[in-house]
Amino acid sequence: MTGRDGGADIGPIGNSPVVILVRPQMAENIGTTARAMANGGLFHLRLVAPRDGWPQSRAWRAASGADRILEEATVFDTVDDAVADLHHVFATCPRPRHIVKTMLTARGAGAELRAICGRGLRAGLMFGPERAGLDNEDMARADALIRYPLNPDFMSLNLAQAVMIMAYEWWMATDDTEPRFLITNETHVATKGELNNFMRHLIHDLDECGFLRNEQKRPGMVRNLRHFFERGEVTEQELRTLHGVVTELTRGRKMRTP
Amino acid sequence: MTGRDGGADIGPIGNSPVVILVRPQMAENIGTTARAMANGGLFHLRLVAPRDGWPQSRAWRAASGADRILEEATVFDTVDDAVADLHHVFATCPRPRHIVKTMLTARGAGAELRAICGRGLRAGLMFGPERAGLDNEDMARADALIRYPLNPDFMSLNLAQAVMIMAYEWWMATDDTEPRFLITNETHVATKGELNNFMRHLIHDLDECGFLRNEQKRPGMVRNLRHFFERGEVTEQELRTLHGVVTELTRGRKMRTP
């Protein structure tokens, strides 16, 4: 009935923050929330008074395999019950008004949650219902509020999108991927010597065909070509292809002009 | 027919990257993509060979008011046509295989896109169809690929979620919100002098009622209380409330024990 077919293997479930959906309205959003949680390595879901009851098969259909999160989700009547065993609770709130509270960005919250969970404490992330968001009573139960820096002219954020950004920042808080790198797979980045071999090949053939016959312009033209080929990392495989291109173009020319 | 009622005012449309959906399948995902774009300040949408044609009213229903983006979206037959006027194109690709290419994280891409657009060049962000993602021919037309650091055990990312993360990082690339701060609204953070006034009030009343009668333990107890009240920023309003709490508790005790 709920489509509980096991779903995907979503990876190890460690001491990660609990996602608490407070009075969620649409079962689809609970499913897409579970999917976003799995994307970012959040696995513990709690529901406070879901409007249409629980479980709901529509949630499983929207979860794209994050079934384990839905199956292990627990339901509570009140926010107080849902947070009773937690040490820290952060609540997302796009537009806090008339409130005195610590505010965190999503990135700041990601870092603090890693620190809290790293100390063996249990943390929760509270998200409000789709239309109204968390009410003042809910927010008073949080240590801090999270507000995402996003376009202030268009703050209407889908519930699962809000969960996605927090899950992403939770994951990014310990990620150390270089922001830019070259993937090379089977091949390797060429050395300067290998690149120079190709440049010698190219210049030799360009000399032969007469492209560099203007002795005055020759050094500048060669330098420009070198600048072009030096601009980024070149792989050994690409150099082999480039050698082949020059060789074949030269041979073609020789065959046409015997 | 397409629900073109104008939608929300989504803010100024500047020189921001073009989002290119390549062979998108579901019109709903085009709508939720537009919503995510508006959240992060991306406004230019191009569609390459959308499966069900264009426009589609279901897209407008899913866009939650980001109608302007859908109304100004343009449709192309091929990727080459869609990127012809752009200077840089990045393509999202969760699992590149057998490919030699520059890889960027979403955060790295956000920073590079800001730099590119800041130079007055036009940039594009390419996203593949829901199931298969971009094919090898599509990716060969990109300067670099973007791979999000996310849970490698659950990489199934909804199209609009993928757009959301890039739109968020585009926005974050120029955001300078402090990761943690106290919002105080009408009230102000109390000075140490104001906090000390309250501590004197509290300690005086605790002395009067006998709570601090053990002279040996008194300094430590007072110090512990001070540590508690000094732990975070306290506002003037909170201090007024705390003064009231102490005064009223004292008065209540005096009335009960005449």
Side-chain angles (χ1 to χ4, degrees), chain B residues 170-190:
Chain B
W170 161 257
W171 190 271
M172 286 296 288
T174 58
D175 182 81
D176 57 1
T177 313
E178 288 296 317
R180 169 184 271 269
F181 63 99
L182 188 71
I183 48 165
T184 53
N185 295 313
E186 305 82 11
T187 183
H188 298 280
V189 175

Side-chain angles (χ1 to χ4, degrees), chain B residues 222-240:
Chain B
V222 168
R223 202 162 48 240
N224 284 346
L225 280 167
R226 195 176 290 281
H227 274 302
F228 173 78
F229 284 103
E230 296 275 2
R231 195 168 293 162
E233 290 178 346
V234 183
T235 67
E236 294 171 353
Q237 187 188 44
E238 286 168 336
L239 277 190
R240 281 194 296 273

Side-chain angles (χ1 to χ4, degrees), chain A residues 41-229:
Chain A
L42 297 174
F43 302 106
H44 309 293
L45 178 62
R46 296 181 182 180
L47 307 173
V48 176
R51 186 189 65 184
D52 299 334
W54 189 257
Q56 291 281 334
S57 57
R58 281 171 300 148
W60 268 259
R61 282 201 295 275
S64 287
D67 297 11
R68 185 161 142 204
I69 290 170
L70 295 177
E71 277 147 32
E72 296 178 359
T74 46
V75 181
F76 297 84
D77 291 332
T78 66
V79 168
D80 279 340
D81 291 341
V83 303
D85 65 332
L86 305 179
H87 301 99
H88 285 270
V89 175
F90 296 159
T92 56
C93 175
R95 298 183 190 272
R97 289 198 187 89
H98 312 299
I99 203 170
V100 173
K101 202 78 166 182
T102 298
M103 295 294 310
L104 303 171
T105 61
R107 192 158 299 168
E112 296 205 10
L113 288 168
R114 284 286 177 185
I116 290 165
C117 293
R119 292 165 58 208
L121 300 177
R122 285 185 296 277
L125 274 163
M126 222 161 35
F127 296 84
E130 286 88 336
R131 285 189 182 277
L134 295 169
D135 66 26
N136 289 338
E137 288 300 320
D138 302 326
M139 284 188 273
R141 280 151 177 82
D143 309 27
L145 303 181
I146 303 172
R147 183 167 46 180
Y148 304 161
L150 281 171
N151 181 4
D153 293 321
F154 191 85
M155 294 287 277
S156 162
L157 198 63
N158 168 270
L159 176 56
Q161 298 280 35
V163 173
M164 181 76 251
I165 288 175
M166 249 341 292
Y168 169 71
E169 287 289 9
W170 161 257
W171 190 271
M172 286 296 287
T174 58
D175 181 81
D176 56 2
T177 313
E178 288 295 318
R180 169 182 271 268
F181 64 99
L182 188 70
I183 49 166
T184 53
N185 293 315
E186 307 82 10
T187 183
H188 297 280
V189 175
T191 62
K192 291 295 179 188
E194 290 165 330
L195 186 61
N196 259 330
N197 276 342
F198 167 72
M199 290 306 297
R200 272 192 292 270
H201 179 182
L202 176 65
I203 292 161
H204 170 268
D205 282 20
L206 290 178
D207 272 328
E208 271 215 331
C209 76
F211 183 73
L212 300 173
R213 61 182 169 273
N214 185 325
E215 280 298 326
Q216 240 183 324
K217 290 187 177 170
R218 188 179 181 284
M221 290 170 78
V222 168
R223 202 164 44 240
N224 284 347
L225 281 167
R226 195 175 290 280
H227 274 303
F228 174 77
F229 283 103

